[in-house]
Each structure stands twice: as C-alpha cells, then as structure tokens.
Amino acid sequence: MQTITAQLEKAFRSAIQQSFGVDADPLISPSQNEKFGDYQSNAAMSLAKAVGEKTGQKTNPRQVAEQIKAKLDLGDMVEEISIAGPGFINVRLKADWLAKQLEAIEADKRVGVESATNAETVVVDYSAPNVAKQMHVGHLRSTIIGDALARILEFLGNKVIRQNHIGDWGTQFGMLIAHLKTAPTGETRIEDLDKFYKEARQRFDSDPTFADEARASVVRLQAGGDEETRLWQKIVAESRNHFQPIYDRLGVNLTQANERGESSYNPLLAGVVSDLKKSGIATESEGAIAVFTEGHEAPIIVEKSGGGFGYATTDLAAVRHRIDTLHATRIIYVVGAPQSQHFQQVFATARKAGWAKGVVLEHAGFGSVLGPDGKMFKARSGESVKLKDLVDEAEERAMKVVNEKSADLPEVEKRAIAKAVGIGAIKYADLSKDRIGDYTFDWDKMLAMDGNTAPYLQYAYARIRSIFRKAGEEPTSAPIQLDSPYELAIAKQILRFSEVIQQVARDLKPHLLCTYLYDLATKFSAFYENCPVLKSEGATRASRLVLCHLTSTTLALGLDLLGIEHPEQM
Ligand code: ARG
C-alpha cells in the first residue's frame, strides 16, 4: 500500500504541474495543528517566490495555494481542503476512505509496510568494542542503535550485513601478550578484562624488562610469530566470551559471524597506502604519509613515520572491502559523535580515490550517556560502568516493578517479564532520544509505567492482549467504522506507520519510531477510555476489536523493530 504522504505528493505534484508547469516538491507533512487538517503542503510559499521571479510580478502565496487547490484531484480521499496562514494547504482525510485503507491491512502483519523496490546492500558497522577491555556505555549506544537500524533496514527488504569492527589490533597487544605469557600456568580464563589490562599496563610502566619484552612481542606478533599469534588469539577469544553474553542478554543480533576485527584488514593496508600514493592523494608530510582533505586542517595519517598503519588506514581498507567484496551500496557507521571528523576524512578520501562511486557513506553519530549529575555516566566507584552490571541492575529493578504490578503471576513468568521490561527500558531510553544529543541515564524515568518509556508501551500491548483473552477471540477482519474522534485518531496513526518506518530508514533516527509508538499508545488509551469495546455490540464491537487488533500488531511490530520484547501479559 502506498503511504498517504506518497499519495498526496503525487496529486499535489500533478496539480502544481498543471497550474504552473513546473515539477516541484509539494512538501507534504502531517499537519502542525489537527484543527486544520491531517496533512499539509507547504509548497505555495516557495512556489510563489519562484513564479514571481520568473514573471517579474509579485505573486501572493495564498493565490498560488488557491490555484493548486483548484487543480487538486484527491478523489474520494478528502473531506476538506483549506488554506491557512500565508498559504498552507491543509487536507482533512475522509473517514470512509481511512476505513477502507485500514480494512486493506486488517490482517497484514507488516501493517502496510511494503518491501523496498530499490533494495540495497547495506553494511551496518556497530558495537565495535575493543578487545581486552570491557565494553563501556559508548559501545552500549552503538550496539542498541545499530541493532535497531539493522532490523529496520532488513525489514524494508534490504540485504543487511552487520559488521562488528572490533578493536583487536594495536601496539597494546605487546604488553597483553607478555602479561599473559607469565600468567600462572593452567590459568586459561581472563575473568576481569579491565583488571587484566590494568595489570599489564602497570607492569609495562614500572618494569623496563617487561616493557622490552612487550615491545619485542608486538614485533613478533606483527611478523606472524606462532607463540604470539596463539596468545593474541586467546586474548581475542577471551574478550569474545565477555561480549557475547551481553549481546545475548540484550537481544542484539550479533554473533562471531558478524565479527570482522581491525586485524582482518592487515593484509590490505599496504595496498591502500600504495594506491593512495600512486594516485597522488596521499603525500609525504613530516616523515609520515598523509591525506589532506578539504575543510580539515590536520590530515589523516595513513602510514606513520617509521612505518606502521593505524585506525584511519584500517577504516579505508574496510570501506574498500565493504564495497568491492561485500558489494555494499550504503555503509552506515554507528559510532560516537567524537569520531565524526575521522569519518568525514575517511569518506572524503575514499570518494577522492574513486572507491565509493554510487555508494552512500554515512556516519550515524550519537552523543554521550550522562549521569544524574550531568557529567559522563560513571559507576559509583568512579570507574566506567560495566555493561554486565548495568544489565543485572536493570533486571533487578524491573523485578520490583513487576512484583508490584503483577504480584499474582508465577515466579518464572515474573522473571521473564522483568527481563523484558528491564532490558527494554535500557534500550528504549537510548533509542527514544534523538541520537545526536547526549542523554541522561535515569533508572526511575526509564522504568516508569507512564511517559515515553518501554514499560508504558509494553503495558499498552499487554492490555490489548488481555482484551482478546477476555473476549475469547481476536477478530482480524470486519468492516471498520470510524465514528468517534478517538477511533479516527487511531486509524490515522496506524496508517502513518509505514511512512515513519521509511523515514527512520532514511534519516537513521529510531527515535521517530519511538515517538510514533508512544503517540499510538496514548491515542489507544484515549480510545479505550471513551469507546467501550467488549461492552459494545454488533458491528461496532467487531470494528473496535479490529482497531484493537491493528493497534496491538503495530505496537508489537514497532517494538520488534527496535529490538524490544513485548510480553503477552504484565
Ligand atoms: N573500536 C572503536 C572504538 O571503540 C570503534 C570502531 C568503530 N568502527 C569503525 N569502523 N571505526 O572507539
């Protein structure tokens, strides 16, 4: 089914074409003010300007709007077209038409969302923790946002390739290997990654013999030494043992199969540099090989003075690999905003080198997680928060909420609900804010049963499911009646779903879906308070049950796409 916006766009475009002989974007958006209508076109203002310039006569936007209106053919879609303010064209949709649209998707599990006709191969680079270090909250954001984006792009029919670009290479491995070598024999587990890292660092800083051994170890590792390679692999594998359970508990779709660490690009790095040199893009600068890009004072270093490649070279090799081998047409980097310079420069270099023809490269950056004090979110100890502790605490706190709310459920079920609510709360708190900004980590807010939170949406879903349990049926097909404003409001909201999903996929902003779901749940609540469902009769009851069903399908699908569970009861 075509989205309402798409249908309006088509009609407006043609009206503008007929009136003024130009092809212009009708600038359709949901109405600012529901009093005036459901959708509006803002095209008249800029069109008046353009027409005025062309004819040399001052043109009034309201007149332009009138002319567009006169040519508009919206069939049986609209109730009323009105012009407001300087020339906004407002459209109010007809209830009968809305009902028909809804009837067409009554049993559609995709709520009318079509698969993309221009499906792409999309690489989503997300999570990317560093080996031998605990994942921190920055990786949490990348993991949660990246996973939601990957799900949404996949749902739209794209081929999504998840890439976990773990930091598994660098000079620090010398000291880690040297440290592991002297670990008590038989010790094969690294219980505490941070502790292990800190111990190694401390020895490196205080013991010159150890430091020499560490440096020699890196050299041997880079030369492919057997012993060093084995120990390095062990450190990577041990780190994986720490990351994977967190992905699993968070319900994040990442496994070892998605892992392509920095080290995997080693064989490609020399080629990247020599190609950039050959094409004159990389030049010598203060002993190093560097690429200068427009608008950036400092170049990116692709080869250090004295040899050796770094983070930027690896990312350049990764871009090439993703385009040439994975055949990506869109590559999305879900990485914190502080790395935006880095990505701008990497993208500019790849484009200049001609590696990214027809490929969209995007940095979906995000802000920091702040503590209640407005500073970087830290544990009470002052150290960075361990994700494992965070996940544990979320489940514990959620259990309290569940104990209050659903005291009489069996213990196992309460545990499962608490897991869904706790994990859902963390993920939703992160997803529901515009990713570009910082956000404050606040347990009480994210676990609140009202407001724009996961528990509120989960509860809304469970409440609808309980209506069906009481009704003993879940009708998915009946003629729809939209008599009250409450029913109309839900209908319009449900019909906007596919448009919102497409917008999220385009702008890479999951919070738009969150806001949408929250609005839907709120509108449902108003409907449910004002329109009896089970107590009504006949065709009204059947229609209202279908509205309930459509709402629950939309909530469930929306939460699925965000990677958030929705228990059947709460
Ligand atoms: N490991 C890096 C970090 O922790 C993030 C890597 C992001 N991805 C990339 N292709 N550079 O900061």
Side-chain angles (χ1 to χ4, degrees), residues 283-300:
T283 48
E284 214 181 300
S285 165
E286 295 173 31
I289 311 291
V291 177
F292 286 87
T293 49
E294 227 177 82
H296 303 275
E297 208 167 301
I300 48 172

Side-chain angles (χ1 to χ4, degrees), residues 33-337:
N33 190 333
E34 279 169 38
K35 267 206 311 243
F36 297 126
D38 300 316
Y39 288 83
Q40 66 185 52
S41 159
N42 296 354
M45 279 69 79
S46 53
L47 213 55
K49 218 177 139 211
V51 172
E53 276 161 17
K54 213 165 110 187
T55 58
Q57 276 169 21
K58 207 161 173 326
T59 313
N60 179 347
R62 275 193 83 104
Q63 271 165 8
V64 170
E66 288 292 352
Q67 276 173 273
I68 299 173
K69 183 183 162 186
K71 292 277 187 251
L72 257 185
D73 178 11
L74 287 166
D76 53 357
M77 229 179 145
V78 283
E79 180 76 42
E80 187 192 355
I81 303 169
S82 59
I83 296 171
F88 300 115
I89 309 172
N90 287 297
V91 172
R92 187 184 308 286
L93 300 167
K94 226 191 191 88
D96 285 350
W97 184 83
L98 288 165
K100 292 253 151 32
Q101 300 290 110
L102 269 192
E103 283 165 10
I105 56 166
E106 276 177 347
D108 181 7
K109 291 222 159 26
R110 295 179 61 93
V111 198
V113 183
E114 284 174 358
S115 267
T117 42
N118 50 345
E120 294 193 76
T121 299
V122 187
V123 163
V124 185
D125 178 322
Y126 70 103
S127 193
N130 297 315
V131 159
K133 283 192 187 155
Q134 293 287 351
M135 265 199 254
H136 57 64
V137 284
H139 298 119
L140 179 72
R141 290 211 79 180
S142 172
T143 305
I144 292 172
I145 297 169
D147 200 57
L149 291 175
R151 285 169 191 260
I152 290 165
L153 290 159
E154 208 159 50
F155 175 72
L156 282 174
N158 299 290
K159 178 179 174 197
V160 171
I161 305 177
R162 295 167 170 81
Q163 293 282 279
N164 195 356
H165 190 89
I166 60 170
D168 63 353
W169 201 249
T171 46
Q172 75 275 22
F173 279 96
M175 73 185 191
L176 297 171
I177 287 170
H179 186 48
L180 188 62
K181 224 185 249 175
T182 48
T185 42
E187 189 165 319
T188 52
R189 301 296 318 268
I190 302 174
E191 286 297 339
D192 184 333
L193 287 178
D194 280 342
K195 193 161 144 258
F196 181 79
Y197 192 93
K198 267 190 220 144
E199 282 168 3
R201 159 74 44 202
Q202 213 231 324
R203 284 179 77 185
F204 186 84
D205 289 339
S206 61
D207 177 352
T209 327
F210 178 84
D212 285 342
E213 174 55 22
R215 280 188 277 267
S217 298
V218 193
V219 175
R220 288 196 297 266
L221 175 66
Q222 283 168 349
D226 286 345
E227 169 77 350
E228 284 72 21
T229 303
R230 189 181 64 78
L231 291 169
W232 167 74
Q233 275 166 348
K234 199 168 124 64
I235 296 170
V236 176
E238 275 298 306
S239 302
R240 196 177 286 133
N241 288 337
H242 287 261
F243 302 152
Q244 194 59 49
I246 291 183
Y247 294 148
D248 295 344
R249 287 180 74 186
L250 284 175
V252 161
N253 284 331
L254 281 175
T255 64
Q256 199 178 331
N258 308 112
E259 196 182 294
R260 192 175 289 271
E262 294 180 5
S263 67
S264 68
Y265 299 104
N266 283 345
L268 307 173
L269 301 180
V272 164
V273 176
S274 69
D275 286 354
L276 289 174
K277 277 202 317 212
K278 253 184 254 158
S279 55
I281 293 169
T283 48
E284 214 181 300
S285 165
E286 295 173 31
I289 311 291
V291 177
F292 286 87
T293 49
E294 227 177 82
H296 303 275
E297 208 167 301
I300 48 172
I301 305 296
V302 291
E303 189 173 335
K304 297 176 197 158
S305 64
F309 310 105
Y311 189 57
T313 326
T314 305
D315 260 323
L316 285 167
V319 169
R320 251 179 146 180
H321 168 77
R322 289 165 183 182
I323 295 171
D324 296 348
T325 310
L326 303 180
H327 305 296
T329 50
R330 185 180 185 188
I331 311 179
I332 297 164
Y333 295 80
V334 189
V335 186

Side-chain angles (χ1 to χ4, degrees), residues 288-476:
I289 311 291
V291 177
F292 286 87
T293 49
E294 227 177 82
H296 303 275
E297 208 167 301
I300 48 172
I301 305 296
V302 291
E303 189 173 335
K304 297 176 197 158
S305 64
F309 310 105
Y311 189 57
T313 326
T314 305
D315 260 323
L316 285 167
V319 169
R320 251 179 146 180
H321 168 77
R322 289 165 183 182
I323 295 171
D324 296 348
T325 310
L326 303 180
H327 305 296
T329 50
R330 185 180 185 188
I331 311 179
I332 297 164
Y333 295 80
V334 189
V335 186
Q339 295 195 33
S340 92
Q341 285 264 21
H342 163 77
F343 285 113
Q344 280 172 25
Q345 290 184 285
V346 166
F347 296 170
T349 306
R351 286 203 190 97
K352 215 160 142 190
W355 300 341
K357 286 204 189 85
V359 178
V360 177
L361 303 171
E362 281 168 291
H363 175 211
F366 52 81
S368 310
V369 185
L370 306 177
D373 54 359
K375 299 203 184 103
M376 288 299 227
F377 186 45
K378 292 260 159 66
R380 243 166 271 138
S381 63
E383 303 214 353
S384 63
V385 183
K386 299 206 170 97
L387 286 199
K388 185 186 165 297
D389 296 344
L390 209 60
V391 172
D392 287 345
E393 187 166 351
E395 288 181 11
E396 242 166 67
R397 284 178 182 258
M399 193 61 190
K400 279 200 204 116
V401 177
V402 174
N403 268 327
E404 276 164 31
K405 207 87 204 153
S406 338
D408 35 333
L409 286 178
E411 190 66 16
V412 251
E413 268 176 50
K414 280 200 276 192
R415 287 248 157 254
I417 297 171
K419 183 174 172 289
V421 169
I423 303 293
I426 293 191
K427 293 175 95 170
Y428 193 85
D430 202 314
L431 292 166
S432 57
K433 319 284 185 319
D434 193 333
R435 62 177 162 75
I436 290 305
D438 297 342
Y439 87 93
T440 305
F441 197 92
D442 183 331
W443 285 116
D444 292 334
K445 267 202 193 132
M446 67 176 78
L447 283 163
M449 293 300 299
D450 47 62
N452 188 8
T453 65
Y456 177 75
L457 295 179
Q458 289 167 323
Y459 184 67
Y461 174 77
R463 187 160 74 162
I464 304 177
R465 302 306 298 171
S466 86
I467 299 173
F468 298 138
R469 278 194 294 276
K470 273 190 219 132
E473 58 173 331
E474 183 178 342
T476 55

